[in-house]
Amino acid sequence: MRPVLLTSAFLPPIQYFARLYAAPTIYMERHDHYVKQTYRNRCHIAGPDGIQTLTIPIVHDATVRQTTGSVRLSDHGDWRRLHWQALTSAYDNSPFFEEYAADLRPIYDAGYEYLSDFNDALCGQICRLLGLTPTIIPTTSYADAAALGADDLREAIRPKRPWQDDAAFRAVPYYQVFAARTGFLPNLSIIDLLFNMGPEARLILRESIMA
């Protein structure tokens, strides 16, 4: 696999994490223009009625075109508490929620100022819980994927683009708490895979990448 160029993402989908798992090097873009309605500040989890979207409110600055790395978190709507409440409601009965929740909850309570720092903390903790040690290099300016010899996935992995468009990824079924009611829901947040499969999530990530 070639190196990949990704942008910051909030509890990103399995497609994103599978690419992160397989790539020898990940260049993490911090200087791209912030785009609304992307995985930068939203994720999809599985609730009893199907897919549930969690969205982080941000501070909008209409005077400048914000970069992803400069976007600040908003405290509007007590979202940290509501997000954790939603995660608990969705995954309290999953096999590994109790084991991992205590490692993730403090990140929600840490008071991060910047969205990318919050995302990085969650991503880093999930990697540690799964025993993953990816080589992640933050960009110092807007990156040229060709110069880096990397696959540019900055805009390729997003909610409005079907995951089926990614020829290197396939959605591998695994246990989900509400599958009997909703059917299997593919390419949800990595948190769904973590809480449902625990250490075996690594095997799902490996199988998700097409050789």
Side-chain angles (χ1 to χ4, degrees):
M1 298 291 289
R2 283 159 48 90
V4 296
L5 181 57
L6 295 168
T7 192
S8 178
F10 165 54
L11 294 177
I14 293 168
Q15 176 191 10
Y16 180 108
F17 239 82
R19 290 301 205 109
L20 183 149
Y21 169 84
T25 304
I26 300 95
Y27 296 99
M28 190 63 67
E29 182 64 82
R30 286 181 173 268
H31 300 274
D32 52 339
H33 292 303
Y34 180 80
V35 180
K36 298 178 182 178
Q37 299 183 356
T38 64
Y39 289 123
R40 289 170 176 83
N41 73 322
R42 68 178 54 193
C43 73
H44 296 146
I45 64 173
D49 297 318
I51 295 175
Q52 181 178 353
T53 301
L54 302 181
T55 303
I56 299 175
I58 64 166
V59 178
H60 294 277
D61 186 347
T63 64
V64 297
R65 193 172 184 184
Q66 293 174 287
T67 62
T68 297
S70 69
V71 172
R72 287 179 166 83
L73 296 169
S74 170
D75 290 326
H76 178 74
D78 196 18
W79 65 268
R80 293 175 177 84
R81 181 183 64 82
L82 294 177
H83 276 206
W84 193 256
Q85 186 178 69
L87 290 171
T88 301
S89 296
Y91 298 110
D92 189 40
N93 292 322
S94 65
F96 293 93
F97 178 79
E98 186 174 348
E99 181 172 346
Y100 294 137
D103 295 302
L104 295 168
R105 179 61 189 267
I107 297 173
Y108 269 85
D109 297 333
Y112 285 94
E113 180 180 2
Y114 290 95
L115 173 65
S116 58
D117 291 338
F118 178 70
N119 290 348
D120 288 351
L122 284 172
C123 182
Q125 184 65 289
I126 290 171
C127 283
R128 284 187 286 273
L129 293 174
L130 292 179
L132 304 180
T133 56
T135 300
I136 300 177
I137 302 174
T139 63
T140 56
S141 60
Y142 186 73
D144 181 339
L148 294 172
D151 291 334
D152 190 350
L153 304 179
R154 285 172 290 193
E155 300 302 329
I157 301 175
R158 55 192 308 172
K160 292 185 178 180
R161 177 166 293 183
W163 57 264
Q164 294 92 335
D165 289 350
D166 185 351
F169 173 76
R170 61 183 175 188
V172 176
Y174 58 89
Y175 170 81
Q176 292 177 333
V177 173
F178 302 111
R181 182 184 303 185
T182 64
F184 176 70
L185 301 174
N187 203 34
L188 295 179
S189 166
I190 185 63
I191 206 74
D192 184 84
L193 181 61
L194 177 72
F195 286 151
N196 283 311
M197 298 299 292
E200 292 187 32
R202 288 171 57 106
L203 301 178
I204 300 297
L205 293 176
R206 185 176 65 189
E207 294 174 10
S208 298
I209 290 295
M210 304 288 283

